[in-house]
Amino acid sequence: MQDTLKKTWFVVVVAIAILAAAGLGKATGLQFRPNILGQVLPSLLAGLLVITAMSERAIAVVNDIWFGAQHTEAEDKLLLANRKLQAASADVRTTKELAKDAVRAGNNDFFTTRAAASLSLEAPTKAYAEEIQASEQELAAVRKDEARARLSLGFMIALVVSAVGVRTLESLLDIDGLTHEQHHIFQCVDILLTAAVLTGGTSGVSAITDLLGTYVSASRKRALEHS
């Protein structure tokens, strides 16, 4: 599906199909509701923000139930591997410092007794470094699964929430003039769009709120300059 969406011909075919359906169906235009910036949007965004925050908290709890043990185990493995590498590296550094002291003191017996031990310390260091890399990959895989599950579960919850009545376009547009067919299509589009907005999380809704605030502030500033 991802490869299909990247193809230009697919986008062109979908666009032509939508335009043809709209033209043959004699789709009528819509009008925005009055006082959107002053009343409709602030109330709508506040409601979406509350619903999104509640959904995020619920999804986080479910994700912890599903992946909490795996995540903790992967983090513990990585932590243990790091500790092993640090300990082995410290032993190697200590042996090298002792070897330098032995050279200065002319203690050849040190190299006879510690040569084998020195070589035995180098191999674990490499093995522990490989263990860290494997642990990092395992933790990354768990996090990827968590993110995927969070997104999928969030979208399904958002679809249910939108299907039972939480809508965005319906709050912004006057749909009284729609035909019977248009009304059903509009509802489906509204449900999908609202679900997508809710799935985007509180950060997405906050971004829209910030954008609205910036636009309102700029509009007021321009109005004051021309008054």
Side-chain angles (χ1 to χ4, degrees):
M1 184 61 182
Q2 293 178 348
D3 293 336
T4 304
L5 291 174
K6 294 178 183 177
K7 298 184 183 298
T8 305
W9 65 263
F10 178 76
V11 178
V12 172
V13 169
V14 172
I16 293 175
I18 293 174
L19 291 173
L24 294 175
K26 298 180 180 180
T28 59
L30 293 170
Q31 297 293 328
F32 285 98
R33 296 184 184 277
N35 201 14
I36 288 182
L37 293 179
Q39 294 180 357
V40 179
L41 265 179
S43 177
L44 174 63
L45 292 175
L48 291 177
L49 189 62
V50 172
I51 294 172
T52 304
M54 294 173 62
S55 299
E56 281 185 344
R57 187 62 260 165
I59 293 168
V61 171
V62 174
N63 247 22
D64 286 341
I65 294 173
W66 284 350
F67 297 99
Q70 288 179 262
H71 195 120
T72 301
E73 183 180 354
E75 286 183 333
D76 289 344
K77 284 184 180 179
L78 180 59
L79 180 61
L80 180 59
N82 274 296
R83 287 178 177 174
K84 289 179 181 178
L85 178 61
Q86 290 172 2
S89 299
D91 289 340
V92 170
R93 288 194 298 270
T94 300
T95 302
K96 288 181 178 179
E97 291 298 326
L98 292 174
K100 290 179 182 178
D101 294 339
V103 170
R104 296 190 189 98
N107 182 10
N108 294 326
D109 292 338
F110 171 84
F111 296 99
T112 302
T113 57
R114 296 298 297 268
S118 178
L119 291 174
S120 66
L121 291 174
E122 294 288 349
T125 302
K126 182 178 180 181
Y128 294 148
E130 293 174 351
E131 185 178 343
I132 288 176
Q133 185 177 7
S135 299
E136 288 176 342
Q137 292 175 349
E138 182 180 348
L139 181 58
V142 173
R143 287 174 174 169
K144 182 178 179 180
D145 290 340
E146 282 183 306
R148 181 75 179 186
R150 185 183 302 112
L151 185 63
S152 299
L153 182 60
F155 184 65
M156 288 188 290
I157 291 176
L159 275 176
V160 173
V161 171
S162 181
V164 297
V166 178
R167 309 289 168 79
T168 52
L169 294 181
E170 190 174 327
S171 301
L172 302 174
L173 299 167
D174 185 359
I175 62 174
D176 292 337
L178 292 180
T179 63
H180 183 71
E181 291 77 11
Q182 271 187 286
H183 185 77
H184 290 300
I185 296 174
F186 180 88
Q187 282 187 325
C188 293
V189 172
D190 200 359
I191 290 172
L192 286 174
L193 180 63
T194 304
V197 172
L198 293 174
T199 306
T202 52
S203 58
V205 179
S206 297
I208 299 174
T209 304
D210 293 340
L211 179 63
L212 174 62
T214 302
Y215 174 77
V216 172
S217 298
S219 299
R220 289 176 177 174
K221 183 177 180 181
R222 286 196 300 268
L224 291 174
E225 289 175 352
H226 291 85
S227 59

